[in-house]
Amino acid sequence: MKLDEAFRNHREKIVDRWVDYTLSTYESSSFFKKEKDKFANPVGGNIREGLDSLFGLLARNADPQEFVAPLEQIMRIRAIQEFAASVAVGPIHAVKHITREVLEKDKERRHLVADLYDFEFAVDLAVLAAFDLYMQCRERLYQVRIQEIKTGNYILTDSKCPSNLLKTNIQESLKAVESH
Amino acid sequence: MAVPKLEQLSKSVVQGPSLATGAVPTKDWMDVPAIFKPGNYAYPAKQEKVEYLNSQKDLHFPNAREWSPEDDDWKLPEGWQDIILKGLKERLDKFRSLKIFMDCCVRCGACADKCHFFLGTGDPKNMPVLRAELLRSVYRNEFTIGGKILGKMAGGREMTVGVLKEWFMYSYQCTECRRCSVFCPYGIDTAEVTMMLRELLHLVGVGINWILEPASNSNRTGNHMGLQPHTFKDNVDFLADDVENLTGIKINHSFNRKGAEVLFITPSADVFAEPGLYTAMGYLLLFEHIGLDYTWSTYASEGGNFGLFTNNELMKKLNGKMYAEAKRLGVKYIIGGECGHMWRVVHQYMDTMNGPADFLEVPKSSITGTTFNNAASTKMVHISEFTADLIKNGKLKLDKSRNAHVKATFHDSCNPARAMGLIDEPRYILDHVLDNWVEMPENTIREQTFCCGSGTGLNTDEIMELRMRSGLPRANAVKHVIDKHDVNTLSCVCAIDRATLTSLMNYWNPGCNVCGVSELVGNALVMDGENRQELDEGLRTLV
Amino acid sequence: MKYAFSFLAVIALILIAGLGSQVPGMQYFFGVAIPYLAMMLFVGGFVYRVTQWAKSPVPFSIPTTCGQGASLDFIKQDKLDCPTKTSEVVARMFLEIFLFRSLFRNTKSEIHDGPKITYESSKWLWLFGLLFHYSFLLIVIRHMRLFVDPIPFWLSAIESVDSMLQIGAPTLYLSSVTLLGGLLLLFGRRLVNRHVRYISLNNDYFPLVLIFAIGVTGILMRYFLRTNIDIINIKNLAMGLVTFSPVINVKIGAIFYIHLFLVSTLLAYFPFSKLMHMGGVFMSPTRNMANNSRAKRHINPWNDPAIKPHSYAGYEDEFREFMVDAGIPVEKELSATKDEA
């Protein structure tokens, strides 16, 4: 149970470093790190919120199902930011190393590093879930593209006489999309 | 041993072919080139579209050709630097705004974190101040004494191909939303700068297809969609049939009818594209409800004006159809549908460019007797103003419970909010057609509203990821009210919003619908002699 | 390293004046010629710049509206942020120019995670700016005492308010302290705030360093390096300058010439730099125009009435057959056009 206490004590430090690490993958990272208003800085704000709540879940060995909500908050952003999949997911992984580092520097709790197996296993599960979410977000993005074509907004270009489509296909495909 | 592991991890994740550079840029911004790759630029305009526009009287769209931003050689015309610099000189002489904005910036940084493109991408050149510096650096080098003598020391730089490429990249990562201008101590408006950049780029044949094709369609057929007269009519008829199916009300509408009291013009997306067409059904019901004597036009069948995103001449030429048609049909005044940039043009440019509209009368609602003095000269009234007046005078029978399925919030579109001051009229309408609706956080609405991220002709699918990034600030605020108040509908008064916010919501906040305010009005209207079906989803109900 | 260049430049200026003014016969150059030249450049340059701006027309009415516009009478207009009358525009401009209202707007008040860092720091810019500009204004006004005789009552009143803390002898002026403080804060902000640092140019650091040096030399002259600094002599020179009969018949300390030279540099530099925002803020079309473009037609002098839309006739010619088929009214019936053909 001492590990619990260690997580509680170091939560802020670990999360701060984790957020820093995650945000340093952006070009203008200093802004993303400093500005904490979720509306003035949606990237930084959401990632901070997501990682913080994810850490809480990891630390108390929560049901991996619960990881999905905070991870989604993060992955939805990273999935559209020109990162390769590995880069998008990579920072989730980093909490393992950060936690070890932080604990090792704490003389009283150094011995707890040996007990990190469960925590690290939970992180691994989170990374796998993050990959799933990344893929879901990418797929959703392609759905959005298809939807745009179907709703007629794409017809602005590349069409001779778009209204023919309206009469026949659009209403059909709309139904198809909606029931999907 | 742990430290090296973390470093190793960051090496494996940060390096590689991505934007992620790992840190704050270490190089001066002037030394960071713009690199084009699939997904970060909109497709260049098709040769035949540029040729068509260039063939039109008074328009100048030279250097039509096949080219790609990814190529090293953009096939610029001979002496292109001179063309650009001469063009810049000419515009400095024509626009005081440009001169002042070039000279006055003190780089205080107040605008930096106000731009949705910067907030979503983190790219420093998307800070409004740097976007303007892209032009300002060339201006300094060529047109100021300090820049001529001191060059780079005074922040000047030569006009090179690299600079031109930067201009292309970043003037098409700006939606001319004017949010930065609200916070600037000198009111410097990046929209003006972006417009000038785009005008200059067109002088050497650099433009994007998503803007030039709708613009050329609009010139020829009257609307962006390229709908020819009969198909435009068919589309509206089709919507009228839908309304009849849903409510049992036969819609009496007409096209190109001389002697009507009012000409109604709305973005063509409303009569064609989902979900705008529900808004158009709302218009049809509203006008039927009050028995307005109005006509649609197939010739002036476009409210939007993609000319605004290219250059002054094209904007003027496309806009000219509104007055020309109003004059030909002999109407008394014009009502304009819900649209953002259309209203920028109508409110701030139309009368100046194509007025005076002395063949029209000062708009006076024949239903309520209200005179719209705020439109006394331009003679064009916004549908929200018109509707709010109807509600105030008790001319509409509204049943809020017909919108019971809607829990809405309201998105202020950039142009009505920051280039017109149309902020409370739509809210007044919402108050009367909805049981309750909620506002998004304070710094994301009204004059501080965040753009949908895809305005000014950037709503094309090849830059979908970019659009999702730039729309994040807006989507994030919507998510807040979804989580907090179970909002399921994002209402707005803009046709581009209706198209682009739909995609934005589909990605960020699935399940949140986007609608026009007039659609909600249409939902709530209690029509005389109606035979209304059980409409669980209002006008969207599939029967 | 851009800021380092500004320091070097100012040090060079100080050396030039400090050493140059000690060369016999050069007092007139530094005490008379340079100030006249600087003043000419300042006035000439300022007028030139403003007329250059004024020469370009304002083709369109493009105010940035920051509140509800005037429309229906039951919708409340935000008269300050969306003015329609000249008086409202004047009020908007007044608040903008004297209170830096747009910078003050920088509020961020929603849910914060952790300390409200940005809320404060955005107001800081407003505060630093206001501090600096008002101190500078006060100091300029205070210096008027050197150019008028007798000294008007209001000028003395301003001075006594400025020195009301009664610290030291001669008494310390508050504005001297706040000027330097404001400058340090603005400079510090440029260095510390990463994205402001990233966008800063030489042109941004140089005026800060220059004005800072002006302030420091002024304070040194008043409180510390008082050898050969006699206010009477300096006033004689100043009065001589404004009455176009300058004389220097006594020795004045080098620190005075340094101060004067730096001020001259600032004056000469002013019209050719971003400092012209002082004039520009009055002329910014997004702030100084009324939002009444639909009620009152704005005139564009270069509007080309020859630019016409693609004509209805041309449109009907292209689509007449379809229009007739679809029952859309046309100007010329099909048969008529066929007959013509």
Side-chain angles (χ1 to χ4, degrees):
Chain A
M1 281 304 103
K2 278 190 166 166
L3 194 57
D4 275 4
E5 187 212 334
F7 281 143
R8 259 202 312 280
N9 281 334
H10 291 299
R11 177 166 180 163
E12 205 173 321
K13 197 194 266 174
I14 294 173
V15 171
D16 273 355
R17 284 196 53 195
W18 197 11
V19 171
D20 263 16
Y21 181 83
T22 308
L23 292 181
S24 65
T25 41
Y26 294 99
E27 259 194 82
S28 184
S29 54
S30 86
F31 166 73
F32 283 143
K33 285 177 195 168
K34 266 166 67 192
E35 168 65 75
K36 292 182 178 170
D37 181 324
K38 203 169 105 186
F39 303 108
N41 175 12
V43 175
N46 277 301
I47 285 183
R48 177 171 290 275
E49 211 177 86
L51 289 181
D52 186 58
S53 82
L54 181 59
F55 183 79
L57 297 171
L58 293 169
R60 67 178 166 84
N61 246 314
D63 180 354
Q65 272 304 314
E66 290 182 48
F67 299 165
V68 172
L71 272 174
E72 205 175 348
Q73 198 173 359
I74 300 161
M75 295 318 296
R76 209 184 281 268
I77 292 175
R78 293 183 74 84
I80 48 138
Q81 294 198 301
E82 294 195 323
F83 293 122
S86 60
V87 184
V89 176
I92 306 297
H93 212 74
V95 73
K96 275 196 204 177
H97 306 276
I98 292 167
T99 308
R100 269 178 186 266
E101 264 180 60
V102 169
L103 290 188
E104 268 168 13
K105 277 187 195 141
D106 181 343
K107 284 193 186 123
E108 282 172 37
R109 301 195 177 81
R110 192 175 284 166
H111 63 281
L112 293 172
V113 167
D115 302 339
L116 280 174
Y117 181 82
D118 283 349
F119 172 76
E120 293 186 342
F121 183 67
V123 175
D124 288 342
L125 290 179
V127 170
L128 292 176
F131 261 113
D132 284 348
L133 286 165
Y134 176 86
M135 282 313 294
Q136 279 173 25
C137 289
R138 296 301 301 177
E139 275 168 23
R140 172 152 284 280
L141 197 68
Y142 293 114
Q143 288 288 338
V144 171
R145 282 198 164 97
I146 293 167
Q147 182 93 0
E148 257 192 14
I149 296 171
K150 289 188 171 167
T151 53
N153 290 304
Y154 185 74
I155 307 295
L156 267 175
T157 56
D158 284 322
S159 63
K160 293 272 162 4
C161 188
S163 32
N164 285 338
L165 278 170
L166 180 73
K167 280 186 184 154
T168 53
N169 301 337
I170 290 288
Q171 294 305 315
E172 297 294 312
S173 54
L174 273 180
K175 279 176 203 158
V177 168
E178 267 156 20
S179 64
H180 190 63
Chain B
M1 286 308 288
V3 179
K5 281 227 174 73
L6 193 56
E7 273 170 15
Q8 221 179 343
L9 180 65
S10 67
K11 268 194 187 128
S12 71
V13 296
V14 173
Q15 288 179 346
S18 78
L19 236 183
T21 58
V24 179
T26 46
K27 282 191 204 161
D28 190 78
W29 63 265
M30 287 194 194
D31 301 327
V32 181
I35 294 168
F36 293 90
K37 52 193 176 183
N40 77 354
Y41 62 87
Y43 295 150
K46 288 177 200 150
Q47 187 170 346
E48 77 260 23
K49 296 297 161 191
V50 182
E51 276 164 358
Y52 169 78
L53 283 171
N54 199 39
S55 72
Q56 298 298 299
K57 193 175 161 292
D58 310 309
L59 295 185
H60 181 58
F61 285 86
N63 201 23
R65 71 208 179 285
E66 295 292 335
W67 65 286
S68 162
E70 284 180 69
D71 296 341
D72 285 335
D73 180 12
W74 280 17
K75 302 181 196 164
L76 298 172
E78 196 74 12
W80 66 269
Q81 277 110 331
D82 287 341
I83 298 175
I84 294 268
L85 294 178
K86 247 181 72 193
L88 179 53
K89 171 85 178 63
E90 189 193 326
R91 280 158 186 78
L92 286 166
D93 292 339
K94 280 164 89 174
F95 294 90
R96 185 182 300 167
S97 53
L98 181 60
K99 257 190 195 166
I100 301 245
F101 296 165
M102 288 295 103
D103 285 332
C104 280
C105 177
V106 298
R107 286 161 294 282
C108 71
C111 59
D113 56 352
K114 305 302 181 292
C115 173
H116 54 287
F117 267 100
F118 176 66
L119 294 177
T121 64
D123 185 339
K125 284 183 194 166
N126 273 327
M127 292 190 247
V129 47
L130 266 197
R131 200 187 315 281
E133 285 291 317
L134 300 179
L135 176 59
R136 213 175 265 132
S137 54
V138 172
Y139 163 79
R140 265 190 220 110
N141 200 56
E142 304 292 333
F143 299 99
T144 68
I145 296 170
K148 275 182 190 159
I149 300 169
L150 295 171
K152 196 171 175 181
M153 190 102 85
R157 60 177 180 168
E158 295 269 331
M159 185 70 218
T160 61
V161 176
V163 172
L164 187 89
K165 290 186 175 181
E166 254 181 351
W167 284 9
F168 179 65
M169 177 168 276
Y170 293 101
S171 64
Y172 288 94
Q173 286 189 25
C174 167
T175 48
E176 303 178 1
C177 81
R178 310 186 102 197
R179 192 168 190 266
C180 48
S181 167
V182 169
F183 296 93
C184 176
Y186 316 111
I188 294 174
D189 181 6
T190 308
E192 290 289 301
V193 176
T194 297
M195 284 178 194
M196 293 304 139
L197 283 173
R198 291 187 180 185
E199 285 205 5
L200 292 173
L201 290 170
H202 283 299
L203 294 178
V204 294
V206 174
I208 70 170
N209 201 57
W210 189 262
I211 293 175
L212 290 188
E213 178 151 351
S216 68
N217 283 345
S218 195
N219 190 61
R220 190 171 85 95
T221 65
N223 55 69
H224 296 154
M225 299 285 191
L227 304 178
Q228 300 184 1
H230 50 300
T231 37
F232 184 83
K233 176 174 182 290
D234 282 353
N235 285 348
V236 180
D237 291 347
F238 176 86
L239 295 176
D241 289 348
D242 263 9
V243 170
E244 190 171 356
N245 286 336
L246 293 167
T247 65
I249 294 294
K250 170 105 180 67
I251 300 290
N252 295 294
H253 58 289
S254 57
F255 297 88
N256 300 7
R257 176 165 61 89
K258 287 191 178 178
E261 183 194 353
V262 173
L263 169 64
F264 177 66
I265 303 177
T266 195
S268 61
D270 281 353
V271 300
F272 182 72
E274 170 101 12
L277 36 90
Y278 304 116
T279 304
M281 286 156 74
Y283 302 143
L284 291 170
L285 269 170
L286 176 74
F287 296 149
E288 194 62 35
H289 188 82
I290 56 173
L292 185 73
D293 174 19
Y294 78 109
T295 179
W296 296 75
S297 164
T298 62
Y299 167 68
S301 48
E302 180 59 64
N305 188 331
F306 273 35
L308 176 68
F309 313 143
T310 56
N311 64 31
N312 258 286
E313 291 73 28
L314 184 53
M315 166 169 61
K316 178 175 158 122
K317 201 173 169 71
L318 294 183
N319 174 262
K321 285 185 180 181
M322 290 191 184
Y323 278 156
E325 185 70 341
K327 191 172 183 178
R328 186 180 76 86
L329 298 178
V331 299
K332 289 184 178 160
Y333 67 100
I334 311 173
I335 293 179
E338 299 175 5
C339 182
H341 76 277
M342 155 182 172
W343 275 98
R344 169 114 215 241
V345 175
V346 170
H347 186 75
Q348 299 199 321
Y349 295 98
M350 177 157 90
D351 203 4
T352 301
M353 291 187 304
N354 290 314
D358 39 23
F359 45 88
L360 296 175
E361 293 172 14
V362 174
K364 182 176 175 185
S365 171
S366 53
I367 318 297
T368 65
T370 304
T371 306
F372 293 89
N373 288 317
N374 62 328
S377 177
T378 300
K379 282 129 181 157
M380 185 151 172
V381 178
H382 192 285
I383 185 77
S384 290
E385 295 169 340
F386 188 76
T387 309
D389 173 59
L390 290 171
I391 293 174
K392 177 75 185 173
N393 287 288
K395 299 294 180 189
L396 300 186
K397 254 185 255 168
L398 296 165
D399 177 0
K400 289 182 182 181
S401 71
R402 293 183 174 187
N403 272 318
H405 59 290
V406 172
K407 176 85 201 232
T409 186
F410 179 70
H411 160 76
D412 286 278
S413 304
C414 315
N415 286 301
R418 287 184 284 256
M420 189 180 174
L422 183 109
I423 293 174
D424 284 327
E425 290 90 342
R427 288 179 166 77
Y428 181 85
I429 298 171
L430 290 181
D431 286 342
H432 287 85
V433 299
L434 293 176
D435 269 327
N436 65 42
W437 64 281
V438 294
E439 291 276 16
M440 284 182 273
E442 183 196 2
N443 49 355
T444 69
I445 52 166
R446 303 179 74 90
E447 75 278 2
Q448 297 196 33
T449 186
F450 275 115
C451 179
C452 63
S454 310
T456 62
L458 302 185
N459 46 332
T460 172
D461 90 309
E462 64 263 24
I463 50 169
M464 186 61 84
E465 279 95 338
L466 186 63
R467 289 168 50 193
M468 294 300 115
R469 292 199 283 276
S470 61
L472 171 58
R474 172 39 80 218
N476 184 56
V478 178
K479 182 166 191 306
H480 176 74
V481 286
I482 291 175
D483 292 344
K484 212 169 153 193
H485 304 287
D486 290 324
V487 160
N488 63 11
T489 301
L490 177 57
S491 62
C492 61
V493 284
C494 172
I496 289 185
D497 276 334
R498 284 191 278 276
T500 63
L501 287 177
T502 300
S503 299
L504 198 69
M505 290 305 113
N506 279 346
Y507 181 75
W508 290 109
N509 305 313
C512 183
N513 284 322
V514 178
C515 75
V517 168
S518 291
E519 176 187 339
L520 299 176
V521 174
N523 281 347
L525 279 175
V526 180
M527 308 290 290
D528 282 342
E530 68 183 4
N531 178 19
R532 204 169 186 265
Q533 310 210 24
E534 205 48 49
L535 303 182
D536 301 335
E537 294 175 52
L539 297 172
R540 295 187 184 205
T541 316
L542 291 170
V543 288
Chain C
M1 291 318 285
K2 283 168 184 162
Y3 53 92
F5 167 80
S6 304
F7 280 108
L8 287 177
V10 172
I11 290 169
L13 291 171
I14 290 172
L15 287 176
I16 291 171
L19 298 176
S21 65
Q22 299 311 300
V23 177
M26 287 300 273
Q27 285 81 5
Y28 271 93
F29 179 71
F30 282 100
V32 178
I34 291 282
Y36 272 137
L37 185 67
M39 205 59 203
M40 271 161 53
L41 279 171
F42 175 72
V43 174
F46 200 102
V47 170
Y48 173 77
R49 287 300 286 275
V50 172
T51 46
Q52 278 303 104
W53 287 337
K55 259 164 85 181
S56 295
V58 180
F60 301 106
S61 173
I62 54 164
T64 305
T65 58
C66 301
Q68 172 63 40
S71 68
L72 298 157
D73 48 18
F74 58 93
I75 303 272
K76 191 170 177 293
Q77 182 201 354
D78 185 338
K79 293 186 176 175
L80 270 182
D81 283 316
C82 201
T84 39
K85 295 194 202 108
T86 311
S87 57
E88 294 161 2
V89 175
V90 169
R92 185 187 199 192
M93 291 297 289
F94 179 87
L95 291 177
E96 193 62 74
I97 292 167
F98 289 92
L99 292 176
F100 304 176
R101 189 147 176 269
S102 292
L103 279 183
F104 187 73
R105 205 192 302 273
N106 236 343
T107 54
K108 292 166 184 171
S109 51
E110 280 300 317
I111 302 169
H112 283 263
D113 176 330
K116 293 189 175 182
I117 293 173
T118 322
Y119 176 75
E120 288 156 25
S121 71
S122 345
K123 290 283 190 231
W124 283 132
L125 172 60
W126 171 78
L127 188 68
F128 299 167
L130 210 63
L131 201 64
F132 163 72
H133 282 87
Y134 272 100
S135 306
F136 198 69
L137 177 69
L138 213 58
I139 290 172
V140 171
I141 292 175
R142 270 207 277 109
H143 279 69
M144 286 303 123
R145 67 149 43 238
L146 297 173
F147 302 99
V148 289
D149 199 41
I151 295 162
F153 164 74
W154 57 267
L155 197 52
S156 313
I158 287 176
E159 275 177 13
S160 58
V161 170
D162 199 5
S163 57
M164 67 183 175
L165 285 189
Q166 302 280 343
I167 302 170
T171 51
L172 181 72
Y173 285 126
L174 286 179
S175 52
S176 311
V177 178
T178 49
L179 176 85
L180 294 187
L183 282 166
L184 277 176
L185 292 167
L186 287 174
F187 192 84
R189 181 178 169 275
R190 260 193 207 286
L191 290 186
V192 174
N193 186 326
R194 292 302 287 267
H195 57 265
V196 181
R197 182 171 176 162
Y198 192 62
I199 58 182
S200 294
L201 302 170
N202 284 324
N203 324 6
D204 299 314
Y205 293 110
F206 179 68
L208 288 175
V209 179
L210 182 64
I211 297 172
F212 191 80
I214 291 172
V216 169
T217 51
I219 288 171
L220 286 176
M221 184 164 40
R222 182 170 158 87
Y223 303 103
F224 304 105
L225 304 177
R226 300 191 51 85
T227 335
N228 290 328
I229 297 296
D230 186 336
I231 188 76
I232 308 287
N233 295 337
I234 291 174
K235 178 147 187 177
N236 281 342
L237 174 57
M239 290 299 294
L241 285 171
V242 290
T243 54
F244 298 103
S245 51
V247 278
I248 302 179
N249 40 24
V250 288
K251 186 168 166 53
I252 304 179
I255 187 74
F256 169 73
Y257 288 104
I258 295 174
H259 186 68
L260 187 61
F261 189 62
L262 294 178
V263 172
S264 302
T265 309
L266 180 66
L267 286 173
Y269 175 75
F270 197 101
F272 308 101
S273 68
K274 69 165 192 176
L275 300 180
M276 278 307 287
H277 66 262
M278 177 184 162
V281 66
F282 289 89
M283 296 175 77
S284 177
T286 57
R287 288 285 186 276
N288 73 3
M289 302 185 83
N291 178 44
N292 61 357
S293 39
R294 259 193 302 157
K296 196 163 170 283
R297 185 171 180 237
H298 178 85
I299 304 294
N300 171 8
W302 50 261
N303 188 39
D304 180 1
I307 298 180
K308 297 275 187 236
H310 176 61
S311 71
Y312 175 79
Y315 169 85
E316 191 183 295
D317 284 348
E318 186 175 354
F319 299 113
R320 183 169 295 111
E321 229 167 295
F322 298 121
M323 292 172 80
V324 171
D325 273 357
I328 301 170
V330 287
E331 297 275 342
K332 286 188 201 166
E333 289 303 328
L334 267 181
S335 52
T337 46
K338 270 181 191 151
D339 290 347
E340 277 170 32

